């Protein structure tokens, strides 16, 4: 009865594997996969014909060993799947950590870029403007304001120059008039002195004549 059950089990395995006998490879059976072990099991089992059907007679020890290998393979695959799950979880945690690190790096780069942008804007502001009396002023405005101040100072200077020129001209005219008046006064004074000297001389002459007349009268009286 046990032999019949084993035959039926092997028959099912034969149908599942495509009913093909494969010669056992020459390498160590410990390195066979399940398909190779099953082929080797069929190859090493004897064949009997019952009810006009071929049946395989397999040793129970070989069948138990094959079943144990199947269980070991399933456990190994389950353990491999479990290990793969753990590795996947570790890889996922590592990936999440790397993503967090990359996010922090991106944020740091964004902050650096923002700081650089601020520095560039400050540099552009410093280039385009300057401080005048503690107030920020655009350079173009400063240039136009400076030109306006220079023009105003030029106008004021021109006005003062014109006023100075007029004042200098008036002063020169007054000095010239004073010099002319002084010369006229000197000439008048010289003329008056000459007249005075002339009058004194004439008076002296008249006095001399009077004295002579007095002397002549005195002589006539004697």
């Amino acid at each position: 009865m046990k032999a019949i059950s084993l035959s039926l089990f092997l028959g099912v395995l034969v149908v599942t594997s495509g009913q093909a006998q494969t010669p056992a490879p020459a390498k160590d059976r410990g390195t066979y996969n399940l398909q190779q072990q099953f082929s080797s099991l069929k190859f090493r089992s004897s064949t009997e014909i019952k009810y006009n059907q071929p049946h395989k007679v397999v040793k129970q020890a070989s069948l138990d060993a094959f079943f144990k290998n199947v269980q070991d393979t399933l456990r190994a695959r389950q353990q491999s799947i479990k290990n793969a799950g753990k590795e996947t979880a570790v890889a996922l945690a590592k990936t999440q950590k790397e993503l967090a690190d990359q996010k922090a790096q991106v944020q740091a780069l964004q902050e650096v870029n923002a700081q650089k942008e601020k520095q560039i804007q400050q540099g552009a502001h410093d280039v385009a403007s300057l401080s005048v009396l503690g107030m920020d002023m655009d350079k173009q405005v400063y240039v136009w304001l400076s030109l306006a101040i220079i023009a105003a100072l030029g106008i004021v200077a021109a006005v003062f120059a014109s006023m100075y020129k007029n004042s200098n001209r008036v002063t020169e005219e007054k000095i010239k008039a004073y010099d002319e008046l002084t010369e006229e006064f000197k000439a008048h004074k010289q003329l008056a002195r000459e007249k005075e000297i002339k009058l004194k001389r004439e008076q002296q002459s008249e006095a001399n004549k009077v004295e002579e007349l007095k002397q002549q009268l005195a002589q006539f009286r004697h």
Side-chain angles (χ1 to χ4, degrees):
M1 185 69 180
K2 187 175 182 179
I4 295 173
S5 299
L6 290 174
S7 298
L8 291 175
F9 177 71
L10 289 175
V12 173
L13 291 177
V14 169
V15 172
T16 305
S17 63
Q19 295 182 354
Q21 290 186 356
T22 304
K27 62 181 181 179
D28 187 9
R29 293 191 186 95
T31 60
Y32 289 175
N33 56 31
L34 292 179
Q35 180 64 39
Q36 291 172 338
Q37 291 179 19
F38 179 68
S39 299
S40 176
L41 184 64
K42 289 193 302 178
F43 179 77
R44 289 185 291 107
S45 62
S46 60
T47 304
E48 294 182 357
I49 303 298
K50 289 184 178 181
Y51 307 107
N52 296 324
Q53 294 290 334
H55 297 277
K56 287 290 185 179
V57 179
V58 182
K59 292 181 180 180
Q60 184 175 356
S62 298
L63 187 61
D64 291 339
F66 177 71
F67 183 72
K68 182 178 181 300
N69 289 335
V70 171
Q71 288 181 330
D72 292 341
T73 301
L74 290 176
R75 280 195 295 268
R77 289 187 178 180
Q78 289 177 352
Q79 186 64 34
S80 177
I81 292 172
K82 186 182 294 185
N83 292 335
K86 291 181 180 180
E87 292 176 357
T88 302
V90 172
L92 179 60
K94 183 179 179 181
T95 302
Q96 289 177 345
K97 185 178 182 302
E98 290 177 353
L99 288 175
D101 293 339
Q102 291 177 358
K103 185 177 180 181
Q105 292 176 0
V106 170
Q107 186 174 0
L109 289 175
Q110 289 177 349
E111 292 177 357
V112 171
N113 290 333
Q115 187 68 24
K116 288 183 178 180
E117 182 68 21
K118 185 177 180 181
Q119 292 176 355
I120 291 172
Q121 292 178 356
Q122 183 64 35
H125 177 268
D126 293 339
V127 170
S129 62
L130 47 83
S131 179
V132 179
L133 299 177
M135 297 183 298
D136 287 338
M137 183 178 295
D138 189 84
K139 285 188 176 180
Q140 293 294 330
V141 176
Y142 176 76
V143 169
W144 286 109
L145 182 61
S146 299
L147 291 176
I149 293 174
I150 292 172
L153 291 176
I155 293 172
V156 172
V159 171
F160 276 105
S162 178
M163 292 175 62
Y164 173 77
K165 186 176 181 181
N166 292 332
S167 177
N168 191 30
R169 181 176 56 81
V170 172
T171 302
E172 289 178 354
E173 290 177 354
K174 289 184 177 182
I175 291 174
K176 184 178 180 181
Y178 174 77
D179 292 339
E180 291 177 354
L181 183 61
T182 301
E183 291 296 330
E184 290 179 359
F185 177 74
K186 287 181 179 181
H188 178 72
K189 186 177 180 180
Q190 183 67 27
L191 183 61
R193 185 175 181 182
E194 290 177 355
K195 287 181 178 181
E196 182 181 359
I197 292 172
K198 185 178 180 180
L199 288 174
K200 285 182 178 181
R201 286 177 180 178
E202 289 178 353
Q203 287 178 358
Q204 186 65 36
S205 297
E206 292 295 330
N208 291 334
K209 288 180 179 182
V210 170
E211 187 64 30
E212 288 178 357
L213 289 173
K214 285 181 178 182
Q215 290 178 0
Q216 289 177 2
L217 288 174
Q219 289 176 1
F220 286 135
R221 288 178 181 176
H222 293 291

